[in-house]
Amino acid sequence: MDNLKSIERVIDSLSSLPSIGRKSAERIAYSLVDTEEGVFDELIASITSLRSEIHECPVCGNLIDTSECPICSDEDRNKKLLMVVSYPKDILSIEKSKQYNGVYQVIKGVINPVKGEDIAPEIINHLINRIKEEKIEEVIFATSPTVEGELTASYLASKINEACEVKISRLAYGLQMGGNLEYVDALTLGKALEGRTNIKG
């Protein structure tokens, strides 16, 4: 019974993660029982390193495991082009498209009045100050094409327009309303970037 309690504890932990349901958690837990010791130990080590080695870039908010952010420190990137994304995982999706060569700003979420979710004031202030200090020429909003994503882009665009003069655009072509950015294929993201439209706050 103790063994079954251990499995149940793993299942409970796994199913508490986003996008992992109870059935998926059960399959993973029982698979771990049959996993070879070396593979199991490597999995534990890699999970542990998520906490000990990964941290946020103080400039863009991306997750990194180095002293310098490889994107912010890349001199070949266009530092006058700033893309605003909700989460670090969105950067990975956009980088896979190989259609964007600017820099990023992670805002850690979206505005959702129903759930009481908002963008922290310090993040908004950091975004605006960065636009001013780095003399950004264009801000591209790449929040997901959902009601919350559109609301977030519109609200932040208005805040930026109040504080500085800069071109503001939004990913548009090819993105289905209601989808999540992380699930959009690279070709569609590339087309969305090419077909971005100006927005006013």
Side-chain angles (χ1 to χ4, degrees):
M1 294 299 293
D2 288 340
N3 184 44
L4 292 179
K5 289 180 180 178
S6 296
I7 291 178
E8 190 67 25
R9 190 163 62 248
V10 172
I11 292 172
D12 288 341
S13 297
L14 289 170
S15 60
S16 68
L17 297 173
S19 303
I20 298 183
R22 185 78 183 177
K23 289 295 183 182
S24 295
E26 289 176 357
R27 286 194 295 271
I28 295 171
Y30 278 97
S31 294
L32 289 174
V33 174
D34 296 327
T35 300
E36 293 181 7
E37 186 174 351
V39 176
F40 185 86
D41 291 343
E42 176 59 28
L43 175 62
I44 296 300
S46 63
I47 292 176
T48 302
S49 70
L50 287 176
R51 290 290 189 182
S52 62
E53 298 178 11
I54 294 179
H55 56 281
E56 289 183 1
C57 168
V59 177
C60 72
N62 190 21
L63 295 179
I64 58 176
D65 58 3
T66 54
S67 58
E68 285 189 330
C69 174
I71 294 178
C72 292
S73 61
D74 187 348
E75 295 301 325
D76 291 329
R77 299 189 78 103
N78 182 355
K79 302 297 179 66
K80 302 302 180 183
L81 193 58
L82 180 67
M83 182 174 287
V84 177
V85 298
S86 293
Y87 309 101
K89 61 186 177 181
D90 296 331
I91 294 178
L92 179 62
S93 298
I94 294 166
E95 286 295 288
K96 286 180 179 179
S97 75
K98 298 184 179 181
Q99 298 293 319
Y100 179 70
N101 194 44
V103 291
Y104 298 90
Q105 183 62 59
V106 179
I107 56 174
K108 299 183 180 180
V110 293
I111 297 173
N112 188 331
V114 176
K115 295 183 178 180
E117 298 173 351
D118 206 346
I119 305 301
E122 58 268 24
I123 292 179
I124 298 176
N125 291 335
H126 175 75
L127 171 62
I128 291 173
N129 289 336
R130 188 177 176 196
I131 292 171
K132 291 179 179 178
E133 293 170 4
E134 298 181 15
K135 296 181 173 57
I136 299 296
E137 295 176 356
E138 181 180 359
V139 176
I140 305 172
F141 280 97
T143 50
S144 292
T146 60
V147 172
E148 295 80 13
E150 294 294 330
L151 176 60
T152 302
S154 179
Y155 176 75
L156 293 182
S158 67
K159 286 293 185 181
I160 293 171
N161 279 328
E162 289 174 4
C164 44
E165 293 184 8
V166 62
K167 180 181 179 181
I168 302 176
S169 59
R170 178 87 167 94
L171 294 188
Y173 179 82
L175 294 184
Q176 182 179 0
M177 192 64 184
N180 287 311
L181 196 64
E182 63 179 303
Y183 300 125
V184 180
D185 64 90
L187 178 60
T188 300
L189 270 175
K191 290 297 183 181
L193 183 59
E194 291 175 4
R196 62 187 184 274
T197 56
N198 292 340
I199 61 174
K200 296 181 180 179

